[in-house]
């Protein structure tokens, strides 16, 4: 693995792994809040049970973080997974009017934490489109 790939995968993978593990034992009320936010991007998530949503969320984030940190997972597969994850996060950003300014792109103060997921999308696409080693 190239050093540049290790840096891209290591930083984003460690961040996402920690985020997923941090959601493991949250109370149902916290899962309900996360679910409501996620449903602004993917409305079908409203239909899930909050505990099931929370479990799926922490497991999928943890799995994504682990895949990014595991060297034998191809960079393209890891990049596709990271791109899909960040696209899901960005749907919440773009579909929630309070997160963007009047132009629909620049973040408001409330939208800044989600707008940063554009960097995860860039990392994912970088891994996907790098030439073969």
């Amino acid at each position: 693995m190239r050093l540049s790939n290790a840096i891209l995968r290591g930083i984003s993978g460690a961040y996402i792994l920690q985020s997923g593990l941090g959601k493991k034992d949250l109370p149902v009320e916290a899962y309900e809040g996360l679910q409501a936010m996620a449903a602004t991007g993917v409305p079908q998530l409203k239909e899930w049970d909050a505990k099931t949503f929370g479990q799926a969320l922490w497991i999928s984030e943890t799995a994504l973080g682990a895949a990014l940190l595991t060297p034998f997972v191809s960079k393209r597969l890891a990049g596709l997974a990271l791109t899909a994850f960040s696209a899901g996060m960005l749907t919440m950003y773009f579909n929630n009017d309070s997160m963007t300014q009047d132009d629909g792109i620049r973040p408001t103060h409330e939208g800044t934490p989600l707008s940063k997921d554009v960097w995860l999308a860039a990392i994912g696409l970088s891994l996907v489109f790098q030439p073969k080693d």
Side-chain angles (χ1 to χ4, degrees):
M1 178 183 299
R2 291 183 178 181
L3 179 59
S4 60
N5 286 339
I7 293 168
L8 291 172
R9 292 176 69 162
I11 299 298
S12 59
Y15 183 86
I16 293 169
L17 178 66
Q18 185 277 328
S19 177
L21 291 174
K23 292 178 178 90
K24 182 176 185 270
D25 294 317
L26 293 177
V28 173
E29 295 80 21
Y31 289 147
E32 289 170 348
L34 291 168
Q35 181 182 21
M37 183 61 152
T40 65
V42 182
Q44 296 82 354
L45 292 175
K46 286 187 254 184
E47 300 169 13
W48 289 33
D49 170 71
K51 184 168 176 131
T52 302
F53 170 80
Q55 296 297 305
L57 180 63
W58 84 260
I59 290 169
S60 61
E61 278 191 34
T62 302
L64 174 58
L68 285 161
L69 293 169
T70 304
F72 61 80
V73 174
S74 78
K75 66 182 172 191
R76 286 197 169 82
L77 180 59
L80 284 171
L82 181 58
T83 301
F85 173 77
S86 61
M89 298 295 287
L90 289 170
T91 62
M92 291 186 293
Y93 172 73
F94 285 114
N95 289 333
N96 191 331
D97 290 337
S98 68
M99 294 203 178
T100 60
Q101 294 184 26
D102 292 337
D103 62 9
I105 297 176
R106 292 178 298 140
T108 60
H109 181 70
E110 184 181 333
T112 298
L114 275 178
S115 69
K116 56 105 179 106
D117 288 322
V118 72
W119 297 106
L120 292 177
I123 292 168
L125 291 171
S126 172
L127 292 169
V128 169
F129 291 110
Q130 283 182 0
K132 290 187 178 189
D133 290 334

